[in-house]
Amino acid sequence: SDSIGLPLEEGLVLVRNMLIGADLRDKVKLIASGRITSGFSVTRSLALGADVTNSARGFMMSLGCIQALKCNSNKCPTGIATTNADLMHGLCPKDKAVRVYNYHDRTVQSAVEIVGAMGHESMDGVTGNDIMRRVRTNQVRTLSEHFPSLPAGSLIAGTAPERMQMAWDSSSSHRPSSCNRWIY
């Protein structure tokens, strides 16, 4: 694998919790980006604490991307990620504009329908209590149960759960090597 860091859900929850624990959540907007391709993935990210979502993969797919993994080589066979005129012949902006518009419109409409089915009138009302996740064959939890929030200001007060407090304390110590203790 050539990726680092945490998957979107875990990373989003970690940052949300650090901001809540530091009493900074109301001062920072969280933008979630990473495999957000459907109305549900938008809604789930909002439920986990994102203020805004961003989609790249979904729009690339709506353009006709086949994930040939040649984006950085100027040899994209669909003509999307290339400046090579011979390869760009399959990319018709008029046709693709309609596909991209339809994808965006239907994704937003899907998210709105999901939020409405939850009983909310706006995206602002969505929380982790609104979405269930199967964690075992016979066990289901809400996202709030699966990814609990820290109490506001708990990192500053020194009362956060041990692992989160250790991460906070080590990142505040100005010793870069100390951060390695808590990285998963």
Side-chain angles (χ1 to χ4, degrees), residues 64-152:
C65 173
I66 60 169
Q67 297 185 327
L69 305 177
K70 299 200 180 275
C71 305
N72 63 335
S73 69
N74 205 31
K75 296 178 182 175
C76 172
T78 62
I80 296 169
T82 185
T83 56
N84 181 329
D86 292 335
L87 295 173
M88 290 177 14
H89 72 276
L91 187 64
C92 177
K94 280 186 179 181
D95 294 341
K96 301 297 181 173
V98 172
R99 289 177 62 172
V100 171
Y101 171 82
N102 287 338
Y103 168 73
H104 179 263
D105 183 59
R106 290 182 181 130
T107 301
V108 170
Q109 185 60 36
S110 172
V112 168
E113 289 174 4
I114 291 168
V115 170
M118 292 174 170
H120 300 296
E121 292 187 17
S122 75
M123 301 281 186
D124 295 337
V126 177
T127 70
N129 290 323
D130 295 313
I131 299 177
M132 306 292 282
R133 164 177 283 169
R134 181 171 308 283
V135 293
R136 290 195 181 100
T137 302
N138 59 351
Q139 185 179 11
V140 177
R141 290 185 181 170
T142 65
L143 290 182
S144 292
E145 292 170 323
H146 196 70
F147 298 111
S149 290
L150 289 186

Side-chain angles (χ1 to χ4, degrees), residues 17-82:
N17 279 339
M18 288 296 198
L19 290 171
I20 291 171
D23 234 356
L24 295 171
R25 182 62 186 95
D26 61 333
K27 295 173 177 49
V28 177
K29 297 294 181 197
L30 291 178
I31 302 171
S33 181
R35 295 196 177 161
I36 294 178
T37 57
S38 67
F40 178 73
S41 57
V42 168
T43 307
R44 179 186 56 222
S45 294
L46 296 174
L48 290 172
D51 296 296
V52 178
T53 62
N54 178 55
S55 176
R57 182 184 307 259
F59 284 100
M60 291 294 289
M61 301 298 270
S62 72
L63 274 171
C65 173
I66 60 169
Q67 297 185 327
L69 305 177
K70 299 200 180 275
C71 305
N72 63 335
S73 69
N74 205 31
K75 296 178 182 175
C76 172
T78 62
I80 296 169
T82 185

